[in-house]
Amino acid sequence: VPLLLENQGLLDVLTEALSLSTEPVAADIPNNRSMTRWKNMASEVDLLAAAEGDVVVRIALIGKYTGLSDSYLSVIKSLKHASIEVGRELKISWVDASSLVEQTVSEEGDGGHSGAERKNAWEMVRSAHGIIVPGGFGSRGVEGKVAALKYSVPCLGVCLGFQSMVIEYCRNVLGMEGANSVEFEAETKHPVVIFMPEIDEDSMGGTMRLGSRDTSIGGGKWGQDGPSKGNEENTISYWLYDQQKKVAERHRHRYEVNPEMINKIESAGLHFTGRDAETYSRMEILELPRSVHPFYVGCQYHPEFKSRPLEPSPPFLGLLLASCGKLDNFLEVAKTSSVPSKKCRA
């Protein structure tokens, strides 16, 4: 569409009507009317669409609103942006999270799934190159999300997906039987995800932690002044975010990882490499070492809200790089190059 509008002279109309400058705006962009990058991207998308075989990357989206794909429109676009960046044609396998586990009728009216449906759902998970577990509200499908995260392929968890990663790890690595979020089980013996203390539990209107918030990225130990210096290079997120130690991302949640559980969880190997830049007590990013898992990254925030066709969201880019076997090369080049990592994605 942008190229069609350019061919029809829209830029001339806007330039004159808004008195826009036509002077050069950057060294790598001849002038502010240049569409070179967009044209190159559009050509690459056309080539990928016409290709077959090895250029396809299949991502299983484990969701609870899979009957209406527009519910995950931002997630879909972010996956597409990242797939273009890594030179792959994206194929999404829509997996209803509740179909991955046996269940009876839920409070939300889900009547369960047949054995054939469960088998088909797991086949889609097993055939995927990577898994995305996006956000959501309510208990339906959560056990399916947790179950899918046991599978050893690249995984990205967003918001509720991030919390599901913590639940899964606490249950199956730390041995906390029945570990859960108080959103789904108020009296759980192991409340690993809790209601944020500053939020009014009795009121649903205007009670979420919303908007852009800063996240500090670091490895090693954290204190009142933030992460220990120099250890951020041991994290995946630091390199995906172009070697930034602080990033701004958009939030939309009421629940958080229980701060009282952090030391125990990290001592078992799951590291919180991103925390809120105000108090360093609110968990924002988690990672497993790549020696343990090919790519296991979660974020409390919603990185999909800032993704763009020529600037894919870093966590989504990481998932796609790992899913098509390019993450090792990306990290190697990024760590030895003097240019930002977004120049090293080929």
Side-chain angles (χ1 to χ4, degrees), residues 273-315:
T273 58
R275 305 191 183 192
D276 74 290
E278 297 175 355
T279 67
Y280 309 110
S281 62
R282 181 158 284 152
M283 304 304 110
E284 297 279 10
I285 304 173
L286 66 76
E287 300 179 14
L288 275 178
R290 298 200 63 237
S291 59
V292 176
H293 196 284
F295 183 84
Y296 197 82
V297 174
C299 45
Q300 180 61 74
Y301 48 79
H302 288 268
E304 68 271 24
F305 291 159
K306 295 179 67 174
S307 186
R308 299 292 182 269
L310 295 171
E311 295 291 336
S313 162

Side-chain angles (χ1 to χ4, degrees), residues 239 326-337 344:
W239 300 106
K326 292 188 174 184
L327 184 57
D328 284 332
N329 182 67
F330 167 85
L331 293 174
E332 180 180 354
V333 174
K335 291 176 181 180
T336 57
S337 175
C344 312

Side-chain angles (χ1 to χ4, degrees), residues 9-27:
L10 179 62
L11 290 180
D12 291 323
V13 175
L14 292 177
T15 299
E16 181 178 354
L18 301 176
S19 300
L20 299 177
S21 171
T22 58
E23 295 299 318
V25 294

Side-chain angles (χ1 to χ4, degrees), residues 46-342:
D46 290 341
L47 290 172
L48 290 173
E52 297 179 357
D54 292 341
V55 301
V56 171
V57 60
R58 188 172 299 278
I59 302 297
L61 190 152
I62 317 297
K64 59 185 296 184
Y65 314 119
T66 53
L68 182 62
S69 60
D70 278 3
S71 298
Y72 297 109
L73 187 59
S74 295
V75 172
I76 297 170
K77 295 300 184 183
S78 297
L79 290 171
K80 184 63 176 177
H81 300 161
S83 70
I84 295 170
E85 186 74 16
V86 300
R88 292 292 186 272
E89 173 69 6
L90 174 68
K91 300 292 184 183
I92 297 178
S93 296
W94 294 91
V95 181
D96 184 342
S98 60
S99 68
L100 294 172
V101 294
E102 294 186 33
Q103 64 183 73
T104 55
V105 178
S106 72
E107 293 180 358
E108 298 183 35
D110 190 338
H113 296 267
S114 67
E117 288 174 321
R118 284 193 294 276
K119 180 180 179 181
N120 181 61
W122 276 110
E123 285 178 350
M124 286 193 287
V125 173
R126 294 188 182 101
S127 64
H129 299 111
I131 291 173
I132 172 75
V133 182
F137 293 94
S139 61
R140 181 172 63 84
V142 171
E143 292 302 322
K145 292 173 182 280
V146 172
L149 288 167
K150 298 177 185 178
Y151 202 63
S152 187
V153 296
C155 296
L156 173 64
V158 174
C159 199
L160 179 56
F162 165 85
Q163 296 170 6
S164 297
M165 286 176 151
V166 175
I167 293 171
E168 191 280 330
Y169 201 81
C170 287
R171 288 180 183 178
N172 297 301
V173 177
L174 278 79
M176 297 181 183
E177 184 177 356
N180 214 335
S181 166
V182 296
E183 179 182 5
F184 315 129
E185 187 180 349
E187 302 302 323
T188 176
K189 183 178 179 181
H190 302 290
V192 296
V193 177
I194 62 172
F195 209 87
M196 290 186 292
E198 71 271 29
I199 303 298
D200 181 2
E201 295 187 47
D202 299 321
S203 175
M204 295 297 288
T207 60
M208 303 181 75
R209 182 171 179 251
L210 296 170
S212 181
R213 311 274 180 149
D214 287 341
T215 292
S216 289
I217 295 175
K221 295 185 178 297
W222 291 72
Q224 293 182 345
D225 297 324
S228 53
K229 306 299 182 182
N231 289 314
E232 62 277 347
E233 296 184 4
N234 297 325
T235 74
I236 301 172
S237 298
Y238 173 73
W239 300 106
L240 290 176
Y241 275 103
D242 295 332
Q243 303 172 42
Q244 296 182 62
K245 298 179 183 180
K246 182 183 291 186
V247 298
E249 293 280 13
R250 290 168 61 184
H251 293 70
R252 189 172 183 267
H253 66 112
R254 291 189 183 91
Y255 296 84
E256 66 174 343
V257 179
N258 189 343
E260 295 181 1
M261 298 282 191
I262 302 306
N263 289 339
K264 190 170 186 178
I265 294 172
E266 289 201 314
S267 65
L270 183 64
H271 302 294
F272 293 99
T273 58
R275 305 191 183 192
D276 74 290
E278 297 175 355
T279 67
Y280 309 110
S281 62
R282 181 158 284 152
M283 304 304 110
E284 297 279 10
I285 304 173
L286 66 76
E287 300 179 14
L288 275 178
R290 298 200 63 237
S291 59
V292 176
H293 196 284
F295 183 84
Y296 197 82
V297 174
C299 45
Q300 180 61 74
Y301 48 79
H302 288 268
E304 68 271 24
F305 291 159
K306 295 179 67 174
S307 186
R308 299 292 182 269
L310 295 171
E311 295 291 336
S313 162
F316 282 85
L317 177 63
L319 173 65
L320 268 294
L321 284 167
S323 297
C324 63
K326 292 188 174 184
L327 184 57
D328 284 332
N329 182 67
F330 167 85
L331 293 174
E332 180 180 354
V333 174
K335 291 176 181 180
T336 57
S337 175
S338 60
V339 298
S341 56
K342 64 183 177 182

